[in-house]
Amino acid sequence: MADGILARDTARPGAPDGDEAPGPGDDTPDYWDVRHRDQDELASGGHIGLDRAGNELFYALRLGNLLGAVGDLSSATAPLFVLDAGCGKGYFARALARCGHRVDAFDASEEALDRARAAGGGPRYTRARLEEWRSPWPYDIVLCVDVLFHLLDDTEWAAALRNLASLVRLTGRLIVTDEDTAVPRARGDYILHRPTAAYRSVLEPLGLRHTEFRPYGFREIEVGFHVFTRIR
């Protein structure tokens, strides 16, 4: 609903307590439509407490780490097939398309998708929730940026994670974002950072191995990219 289907609430993940403000439940799509309509293309999916320059830096750092995790294995004749799950206004989807990848993207906010489609850039956009998306083909990369820690219900979170895992081809990568923590960490009443072990407990039985963690490296934020590779 920002640059993630249920991502971007009124405070950024990992922000200090003073930056946090009450947010809606994750089942309130109207809130996200309003936010995407009222905030610019960066603040609506970035850190609402930052100015324009701060959000430019925040996006650039995340994109650089993401591109490193995706790698440069594609070519003009064999592009990677990428899914951006919870694409928001499509910042990361467009960036991956510029790199030559074929990108599908979806979000639950129609307002966000309208802005993403208007920006063009190559991705194909659809409205859906994390647990709903289906595809007749597997993807080389399935990406989900700053989304899953907004799913407070463990059953809903696990269902979304399992669905995303089902879309990754053999040797492909599932890239999700959260903290690299050993214990659950709640921030306010709308963010729940889950332990890395919780992700592994869902994904390893499905044939995905945790191969890397890349922190954002932005101020005090402890979130980063968890990379899982399908080995069977």
Side-chain angles (χ1 to χ4, degrees):
M1 288 185 171
D3 281 325
I5 187 172
L6 295 172
R8 321 312 193 271
D9 216 311
T10 46
R12 290 299 313 137
D17 291 344
D19 288 347
E20 295 184 355
D26 286 337
D27 57 351
T28 313
D30 287 348
Y31 167 82
W32 295 104
D33 285 336
V34 170
R35 177 162 172 169
H36 282 296
R37 184 172 63 248
D38 292 347
Q39 300 289 337
D40 69 27
E41 71 277 13
L42 296 185
S44 65
H47 195 315
I48 202 168
L50 294 175
D51 60 14
R52 178 77 186 197
N55 265 314
E56 289 279 9
L57 178 58
F58 184 42
Y59 269 92
L61 287 172
R62 285 185 295 171
L63 179 58
N65 279 300
L66 172 61
L67 293 179
V70 170
D72 59 354
L73 302 179
S74 67
S75 69
T77 57
L80 294 180
F81 199 15
V82 179
L83 174 66
D84 185 354
C87 62
K89 291 177 178 174
Y91 179 95
F92 296 110
R94 287 191 297 277
L96 290 165
R98 289 196 300 271
C99 292
H101 305 306
R102 293 185 178 178
V103 182
D104 286 341
F106 69 85
D107 197 277
S109 169
E110 193 61 49
E111 183 74 26
L113 293 173
D114 286 345
R115 304 295 181 91
R117 292 182 183 115
R124 298 177 295 185
Y125 295 103
T126 306
R127 187 177 185 184
R129 293 176 63 89
L130 290 179
E131 72 277 11
E132 294 174 340
W133 178 264
R134 300 293 185 268
S135 173
W137 45 72
Y139 293 90
D140 299 293
I141 302 290
V142 174
L143 168 68
C144 188
V145 179
D146 292 5
V147 178
L148 289 164
F149 48 68
H150 286 282
L151 301 181
L152 304 184
D153 181 80
D154 286 337
T155 300
E156 183 182 5
W157 169 81
L161 194 56
R162 284 194 295 269
N163 188 49
L164 297 180
S166 73
L167 301 167
V168 181
R169 72 165 177 83
L170 185 63
T171 74
R173 299 168 194 164
L174 171 62
I175 303 175
V176 300
T177 62
D178 209 326
E179 294 184 355
D180 186 20
T181 179
V183 296
R185 297 176 62 180
R187 294 188 182 275
D189 60 357
Y190 55 93
I191 293 175
L192 176 60
H193 296 296
R194 290 177 174 85
T196 303
Y199 284 87
R200 293 179 62 181
S201 69
V202 172
L203 295 173
E204 286 182 350
L206 302 177
L208 289 101
R209 182 179 63 196
H210 190 255
T211 51
E212 186 178 12
F213 176 72
R214 289 177 174 250
Y216 288 167
F218 181 75
R219 299 186 181 179
E220 73 286 349
I221 292 175
E222 298 180 45
V223 175
F225 294 97
H226 287 280
V227 181
F228 289 84
T229 303
R230 180 171 290 287
I231 59 174
R232 58 175 174 80

